[in-house]
Amino acid sequence: IRLGFITVLTILMPHSAQSGQPLSYYLSENTTYNPAIPTPEAFFGTQTGEWHLRHDQIVAYMQALSEVSDRITLKEYARTYEHRALLLLTITAPENHQNIDTIQEQHLALCDPTRSGPLNIDTMPAVVYMGFSIHGNEPSGGNAAPLVAYHLAAAQSIDALLNNTVILLDPVFNPDGFSRFAHWANMHKGKHPVADPNHREHQEAWPSGRTNHYWFDLNRDWLMLQHPESRGRMEQFHAWKPNLLTDQHEMSTDRTFFFQPAIPSRNNPLTPSKNYELTAAITRYHADALNQIGALYYTKESFDDFYIGKGSTYPDINGGIGILFEQASARGHIQDTPHGPLSFPFAIRNQVRAALSTLQAAQALRKDLLTYQRDFFVNTLKDAARSSIQAYVFGSPTDGARNYHFLDLLLRHQIQVHDLAKPVAHNSTLFKPGEAYIAPVHQTQYRLLTALFEQRTTFQDSLFYDVSAWTMPLAFNLPFAELKSSPDDLIGKQIKTASFPKGQVIGPSKPYAYAFNWNGYYAPRALYRLLQADVKAKVATRPFKTAEQAFDYGAILIPTGIQQEAIPKIEQITQTIAREDGIDVYALSTGLSAQGIDLGSPSFASLSRPEILLLTGNGVSGYHAGEIWHLLDWRYDMSVSLVETDLIDRIDLAAYNTLIIPHGLYSAMDPNRSSALKTWVKNETRDALDSIRVNTLKRWVHNGGTLIALGDAAVWAVNNELVSAKFIRTRRETSISSKAYIDESADRGAQIIGGAIFQAHLDPTHPLCYGYASPTLSVFRRGTTFLEPTKSPYATPLQYTNTPLLAGYISRANLAHIKGSAATLVGSLGAGRIILFMDNPNFRAIWYGTNKLFANALFFGPTISLTSIQAKE
């Protein structure tokens, strides 16, 4: 049925509309192929590049190849959120397939210094992992994958390559986004393909196919591992530890073709220099392949290898070589460029040739790659022995869920972690067994362990393609310490699998009330379970202590006597909270407290279920909206309505009590932007939130709504007078001395905060900070717009310290501006509250430590005293 349908389409399309190319365009004409292997053209019924292949079509073709070729085996290694299959093809000589388990085990032994010495690399194949289209709207990679797979399955002159190489082919890294974009490009292709860049085919609608289902950039998730695509891929990566990994992308249409080396001054210092020497050696093979077809290309001028959480960099810290390919994108079927019309087939051909040149390099440099991999891990242990840090100890004494997620992350990266054998004190922190863990540096993942824990603040270069810091215990808000002396007496049993904590319901079976503290990561999910079931719940605005437990600010109280719902239903929910949310729930026998407020005190504030509208569409950053959607939907099991900005003045906002405006470009709003850039932003976003919609939102807040604005949306709220706040005017260099023209971009880029970690003071008595015991918190920050604290001394619950930089890069000028500025502040309008986050508390789903700030805004924002916002000293 599939082939018949595609054949009909082909018949109906006149020849003049065919924009694909025959097989000979993509592959060498000097190669003969096994006629028993179906070509992509024969299978799909169209020439490659004529239409954008859907993911399901590619899956069907790969399955067909595996059924007819003794060179290929296929496995499904994961499913996406939309339940699409992620595939991995193992391609090698039939003789190698018969011995594949032994080959795999020998290759893993090469990465173990205790076993690698006797191995004879002369007889070992190299392992190459080939990945395509992790960004779904960069489709030439995924459309090249069937051609590469066909060549490897059918070419009759590649026996030497197959004998000496195990090829792991991952045809589409991001099936959900890839399918989304294929539909867009195909639905806008006419009888005559249109090259005009303004044509709708080339102007993809929000949120675009770049991202996965929840609008995350999966190429930033190799280190974070927060999504099923990445977790499944990581398991396959470490099952083989490839010598080479290719990551095939697209870039802006006006470029040509890029391959590494990237900008040398931005290499990660934890990556050995030999890695870059081998990368340079591989470069010659790509150049030769593209020279043969006259394709333009360049190296060293773009991108970098500093952030190790991308496909082209993660292998570098794991004994392999990562290679990034970036092809100028047609963003459809054909598009005009400064270099002439760029066709989809042309982009696909470059990707095919680069993939095959990688395999040529792997064959020619096989011994070099294998030797490098063995030496990498031998030298890693030597470096670990010389390190001034001998172990990292970490763990939260009050939140087993965050401990669990952090342990799970480390174990997925094959980092060795142990139980803490005995208590150890570091500065003012006491780490105890059962609450804390230890990771010794003397292990083969020493470099990756260091990359996850280090707090680097000095750099060779001041420009970064991605973030400049990713210290994971800070992201999880976990106490941690660097141990300088031998940790041998502290190392307990090695942890093989992370276990989610199990809470308990503690106390009598027919209690006066239930209560639980707010410090657990999944406390918001627990509270929402109750509110969703129409259970009346209250939040403690002051601490109290009962015979059973001490309860801090933010503790949740469920009085049983005032509930209309049957008590057995509440008992069932509390059992679910203990079992699934990892929280201890206490059954309290009396309303009298041993200390602090009694259970009937007016210091308990009543709570309502958040009815949430999350703004999406024009002007909104899809990344930021996706992070919020994922947090609420996937982690907290909370219902959230995704509503387009264009609808704000056309719907009944009274149905919602909470409205979230993610970071985005809503108007020319940043006081530090140039007038030209302000005009561009205004035109580009087409006034996503114009004056009519602003007034609509003001009326809604005035009537009692809670508005939460993040990043540039917070700036928009200030500029549109929803909240009263002042910007800190940043000062630029005023020197009139001349500078080299070539340095203008670098000088401007050095003032950007692309992603760094800072310390902020918090007020644990403020509703936005409930659940935090420490007076300081690590926050992730991008952007250079800073706000002064509010005039009310009670309305800036999170404020940067005077020595805020914890990790990452910031210019001296911006460091002076950020000191003492507001990280979070609260304003009011009529009966409503407006909560501004200058930072991103949900960054890339990895900032478990600040997710609770955001959850507090949802649940406790309406309880914030209006007089506290308006008070002035």
Side-chain angles (χ1 to χ4, degrees), residues 78 422 655 799:
K422 66 179 186 180
Q799 185 175 352

Side-chain angles (χ1 to χ4, degrees), residues 30 60 86 110 124 194 246 276 369 394 421 471 492 518 537 582 604 614 622 627 641 655 701 741-742 812 827:
N30 299 322
L86 288 142
L110 191 68
M124 292 180 63
V194 178
T246 60
Y276 303 110
L369 292 169
F394 59 90
T471 309
W518 192 247
F604 282 98
L614 174 61
E627 290 161 356
S641 297
V701 175
Y741 171 81
I742 197 66
R812 284 179 292 183

Side-chain angles (χ1 to χ4, degrees), residues 108-437:
L108 293 177
L110 191 68
C111 305
D112 182 354
T114 66
R115 298 189 292 158
S116 62
L119 293 175
N120 180 10
I121 61 173
D122 291 341
T123 61
M124 292 180 63
V127 178
V128 180
Y129 197 126
M130 310 187 80
F132 303 86
S133 293
I134 201 165
H135 295 141
N137 63 356
E138 299 177 4
S140 60
N143 281 264
L147 291 162
V148 175
Y150 169 75
H151 174 80
L152 295 174
Q156 296 183 326
S157 57
I158 59 171
D159 288 347
L161 170 66
L162 295 173
N163 288 332
N164 291 293
T165 316
V166 174
I167 301 156
L168 308 171
L169 193 149
D170 199 327
V172 180
F173 276 150
N174 177 10
D176 292 350
F178 187 86
S179 297
R180 195 157 68 238
F181 181 74
H183 178 69
W184 176 269
N186 289 334
M187 73 183 283
H188 292 103
K189 179 186 176 183
K191 175 181 176 181
H192 301 285
V194 178
D196 179 5
N198 297 314
H199 179 48
R200 194 163 191 258
E201 179 183 3
H202 309 305
Q203 300 293 325
E204 192 182 0
W206 194 97
S208 87
R210 176 182 176 87
T211 51
N212 76 343
H213 175 78
Y214 282 103
W215 311 331
F216 280 77
D217 184 338
L218 290 177
N219 196 42
R220 305 302 189 268
D221 197 45
W222 286 75
L223 195 65
M224 311 309 185
L225 299 182
Q226 296 304 302
H227 302 285
E229 302 94 333
S230 308
R231 293 184 174 199
R233 186 189 334 115
M234 189 55 57
E235 186 176 345
Q236 304 312 308
F237 178 94
H238 283 296
W240 275 101
K241 294 191 184 295
N243 299 100
L244 269 176
L245 185 144
T246 60
D247 190 17
Q248 303 202 232
H249 288 250
E250 290 185 351
M251 55 183 169
S252 59
T253 305
D254 60 345
R255 300 294 181 90
T256 58
F257 190 89
F258 171 87
F259 50 87
Q260 289 172 307
I263 298 174
S265 62
R266 302 181 202 167
N267 293 335
N268 192 293
L270 291 170
T271 302
S273 59
K274 183 65 175 178
N275 177 287
Y276 303 110
E277 294 175 16
L278 284 170
T279 301
I282 294 167
T283 297
R284 295 194 296 269
Y285 293 86
H286 305 321
D288 288 345
L290 296 178
N291 288 341
Q292 291 173 17
I293 58 175
L296 293 173
Y297 57 86
Y298 70 102
T299 66
K300 301 186 185 72
E301 291 183 58
S302 298
F303 309 100
D304 67 41
D305 288 338
F306 185 77
Y307 172 54
I308 63 169
K310 300 181 295 182
S312 59
T313 53
Y314 185 81
D316 296 343
I317 206 81
N318 283 276
I321 310 291
I323 301 292
L324 171 68
F325 296 118
E326 292 274 359
Q327 164 62 46
S329 179
R331 287 289 188 267
H333 292 87
I334 190 168
Q335 188 171 168
D336 290 331
T337 80
H339 310 289
L342 171 60
S343 72
F344 188 38
F346 178 83
I348 295 171
R349 182 177 66 164
N350 285 348
Q351 299 278 27
V352 171
R353 296 302 175 100
L356 298 182
S357 66
T358 299
L359 297 177
Q360 292 177 337
Q363 184 179 2
L365 302 172
R366 179 180 61 85
K367 290 185 181 180
D368 300 274
L369 292 169
L370 293 168
T371 299
Y372 169 72
Q373 189 168 49
R374 176 166 59 189
D375 292 346
F376 176 94
F377 290 102
V378 170
N379 292 331
T380 292
L381 290 186
K382 291 179 180 179
D383 290 343
R386 294 189 292 264
S387 174
S388 61
I389 300 168
Q390 287 299 297
Y392 297 96
V393 61
F394 59 90
S396 168
T398 60
D399 189 359
R402 274 184 292 124
N403 286 342
Y404 160 78
H405 285 295
F406 190 57
L407 285 171
D408 181 66
L409 178 68
L410 297 180
L411 295 177
R412 288 181 185 275
H413 287 299
Q414 297 203 336
I415 290 173
Q416 181 183 335
V417 186
H418 296 258
D419 286 320
L420 188 64
K422 66 179 186 180
V424 58
H426 187 272
N427 295 332
S428 59
T429 304
L430 178 64
F431 297 93
K432 298 179 182 179
E435 300 174 351
Y437 308 88

